[in-house]
Amino acid sequence: GLEGGEAPPLGMQRPMIAAQRALRHVGRRWMTMPFPGIEKGMWPSPNARPLPRTAGGDGSGADELHLVFLEGGAGLGKANILWKLDKLGYRVHTDGFVRMCQENPAYPPDSSVMMLKWAGRMLSAIDDAQEKSRQGLVRENVVFFGRSFLSPAVYARGLPISVYFRQMMGEVRQAHSTSMVLCSSEEYAVTQRLAGRLFDAKEGEREVRLTLGEDDAAFQTAVSDSYQQLEQEGHFDAILDTSSSKLGVAALLHSLDINPAPVKD
């Protein structure tokens, strides 16, 4: 999985192969960062705390499916990263929450029902990824997710159900080889993405996005603060700069020891 700065638990020790290498075992993968020539990249969270794997969930070495969850507030460029990864042939899962809300107009986007539907879709995607992995249909045996179970925990806006989703995320991490990545982007890029997304939104989509607070600066700040709190609590293995999707993809794949063809903007 991805990294922190500590040596692997459970006696799985490996030497550092370079002064820049930061390692922490959370599954079958190891993160290497930063790398020469790339100013913007990825770095380990100083607060990362690996979870012990549960019985029967200790994986099967290099053949184990690895799940990478990209997290953070709206407008950070997660969709752009996933789009480029998809073009490179990697299996990706987008959260599709706005469309889900449009398909379920009886429930407000910030309702507990929609949060549960959101989480259920992610669980189904994990099951599907495992099946595709068994069939040998997953490139590098890595699947990238745009958001995780921490998203409904944040967007539940203080509902008691948010505690449930945090617990769910922990259980998924204990059962699977995973990496939790918090995305970070320069403010100007976030502002441009949010404004452009609302401007281009189709009928029905704009209303959902407004309900989710994408035009509410105070709410977006609260969301950012919530993610920072989660990072300080040790929920993330690494932080990825997504100001440039090209550099973000390169840094992410490099951290997983994957060397793809060049990524075009």
Side-chain angles (χ1 to χ4, degrees):
L2 296 179
E3 37 312 83
E6 302 176 1
L10 306 179
M12 297 185 66
Q13 304 292 331
R14 286 189 179 184
M16 295 182 69
I17 63 174
Q20 297 86 3
R21 183 177 285 276
L23 301 176
R24 182 170 68 75
H25 178 71
V26 293
R28 73 177 178 86
R29 297 275 178 176
W30 300 83
M31 177 188 287
T32 308
M33 59 196 141
F35 52 103
I38 301 294
E39 295 180 357
K40 295 182 181 294
M42 193 169 182
W43 56 95
S45 166
N47 303 306
R49 291 195 295 271
L51 291 172
R53 302 291 295 282
T54 55
D58 54 357
S60 56
D63 294 329
E64 184 181 19
L65 177 69
H66 189 70
L67 312 176
V68 180
F69 295 95
L70 303 180
E71 266 291 2
L76 288 173
K78 298 180 294 295
N80 294 339
I81 296 290
L82 292 178
W83 184 84
K84 282 184 165 56
L85 289 168
D86 179 66
K87 291 297 182 182
L88 289 170
Y90 295 97
R91 184 166 291 275
V92 303
H93 172 75
T94 57
D95 71 295
F97 185 65
V98 172
R99 178 176 293 181
M100 287 178 58
C101 292
Q102 292 178 279
E103 294 170 349
N104 296 271
Y107 303 107
D110 55 354
S111 67
S112 58
V113 171
M114 291 309 302
M115 298 296 113
L116 285 170
K117 284 180 174 290
W118 193 358
R121 188 171 183 269
M122 278 189 277
L123 285 173
S124 296
I126 291 174
D127 291 341
D128 180 66
Q130 289 182 300
E131 179 59 31
K132 292 296 191 297
S133 176
R134 284 189 286 268
Q135 297 173 16
L137 300 177
V138 180
R139 181 177 180 181
E140 301 285 348
N141 229 9
V142 178
V143 179
F144 299 90
F145 286 74
R147 296 196 175 277
S148 73
F149 300 98
L150 292 181
S151 281
V154 170
Y155 284 89
R157 302 197 184 205
L159 292 174
I161 199 172
S162 63
V163 177
Y164 168 79
F165 290 122
R166 288 165 63 119
Q167 176 68 22
M168 182 182 290
M169 188 71 254
E171 292 174 359
V172 167
R173 296 206 70 188
Q174 288 179 312
H176 301 282
S177 174
T178 64
S179 296
M180 293 292 295
V181 180
L182 179 60
C183 296
S184 176
S185 183
E186 295 181 14
E187 185 175 354
Y188 81 89
V190 175
T191 300
Q192 287 184 333
R193 290 180 189 127
L194 289 176
R197 194 154 66 183
L198 287 172
F199 181 81
D200 295 333
K202 298 179 181 179
E203 184 178 356
E205 178 186 348
R206 178 180 172 83
E207 287 71 19
V208 172
R209 294 193 178 282
L210 291 176
T211 301
L212 293 173
E214 291 195 7
D215 69 333
D216 185 338
F219 177 66
Q220 292 303 320
T221 297
V223 168
S224 178
D225 291 344
S226 294
Y227 277 111
Q228 290 303 314
Q229 180 63 35
L230 289 170
E231 191 276 326
Q232 292 172 16
E233 293 174 3
H235 291 275
F236 294 101
D237 304 308
I239 301 170
L240 175 67
D241 190 325
T242 52
S243 300
S244 162
S245 57
K246 178 179 179 179
L247 294 177
V249 168
L252 181 60
L253 293 179
H254 176 86
S255 74
L256 295 168
D257 292 327
I258 296 173
N259 297 303
V263 182
K264 297 182 179 179
D265 274 326

